[in-house]
Amino acid sequence: DADVTQTPRNRITKTGKRIMLECSQTKGHDRMYWYRQDPGLGLRLIYYSFDVKDINKGEISDGYSVSRQAQAKFSLSLESAIPNQTALYFCATGSPVTAQYFGPGTRLTVL
Amino acid sequence: AQSVAQPEDQVNVAEGNPLTVKCTYSVSGNPYLFWYVQYPNRGLQFLLKYITGDNLVKGSYGFEAEFNKSQTSFHLKKPSALVSDSALYFCAVRDGASGGSYIPTFGRGTSLIVHP
């Protein structure tokens, strides 16, 4: 089984809808991250969490919220989706000294 | 503040030739450096890292990277490219200075195209 799983893998939605992307990991790490990937812009950090009670904003958190339900689960919500949130979203986990382990990504399209 | 730059959006190389994907960084403390590869429709996969020790780091799939402190660079290399190496490559850095959040910063990515 994959170390980091994301659901759904693909989602098409309409402007104004609420969307939740879910992430689960079996690596046992405390830290989890949500990134957004856009062509030519690389990976940009949306939110990160050091443990269940420690959640922090990244460089592009506006329009997004997160919930850390357990050590292994970290979900990302778009309260009212807009077209410029169309992107590829990645969840990751890792410790301060190891590399990060990424999920397969969720391709989100907002019409 | 930490930053990383990948100066080439795309690198083209013929199969069998050596390849280099460039990365330069800026940190206030000692750098922790990483390379990742992303194949189409997949997440990022870890290739190799430098934290301390030998300047030449060997990683997965025959890749290696050379840490150069004076030039603040961490270029990814492979002696003989394969068509299957064609992918998007990301360099990442995080500052090893104490008191930081230890969150890595990613470059914009370099598309490697290996021609048959």
Side-chain angles (χ1 to χ4, degrees), chain A residues 18-23 32-35 45-52 54-58 60-70 73-79 89-91:
Chain A
R18 183 178 187 274
I19 298 297
M20 178 180 286
L21 309 183
E22 298 184 335
C23 176
M32 297 188 73
Y33 310 80
W34 274 104
Y35 291 93
L45 184 63
I46 305 173
Y47 271 95
Y48 61 101
S49 171
F50 287 172
D51 64 39
V52 175
D54 186 357
I55 294 176
N56 305 276
K57 293 181 177 180
I60 55 163
S61 60
D62 287 349
Y64 302 94
S65 63
V66 292
S67 174
R68 184 82 184 265
Q69 300 93 330
K73 296 184 182 295
F74 193 36
S75 60
L76 175 72
S77 294
L78 287 67
E79 297 300 328
Y89 291 85
F90 288 104
C91 175

Side-chain angles (χ1 to χ4, degrees), chain B residues 33-50:
Chain B
L33 293 154
F34 306 85
W35 275 103
Y36 294 84
V37 59
Q38 184 183 26
Y39 297 103
N41 301 313
R42 302 285 294 276
L44 278 70
Q45 298 176 35
F46 168 70
L47 275 179
L48 50 80
K49 67 179 178 182
Y50 172 85

Side-chain angles (χ1 to χ4, degrees), chain A residues 9 31 33 35 37 40 42-43 45 48 50 88 90 96-100 102-104 107, chain B residues 32 34 36 38 41-44 46 49 51 88 90 94 101-104 106-109:
Chain A
R9 294 293 311 276
R31 296 184 173 208
Y33 310 80
Y35 291 93
Q37 183 180 21
L43 288 176
L45 184 63
Y48 61 101
F50 287 172
L88 191 54
F90 288 104
V97 295
T98 67
Q100 289 175 297
F102 286 81
R107 186 170 298 279
Chain B
Y32 286 34
F34 306 85
Y36 294 84
Q38 184 183 26
N41 301 313
R42 302 285 294 276
L44 278 70
F46 168 70
K49 67 179 178 182
I51 295 177
L88 191 57
F90 289 95
R94 73 164 183 83
S101 65
Y102 303 148
I103 303 296
F106 284 80
R108 295 190 172 191

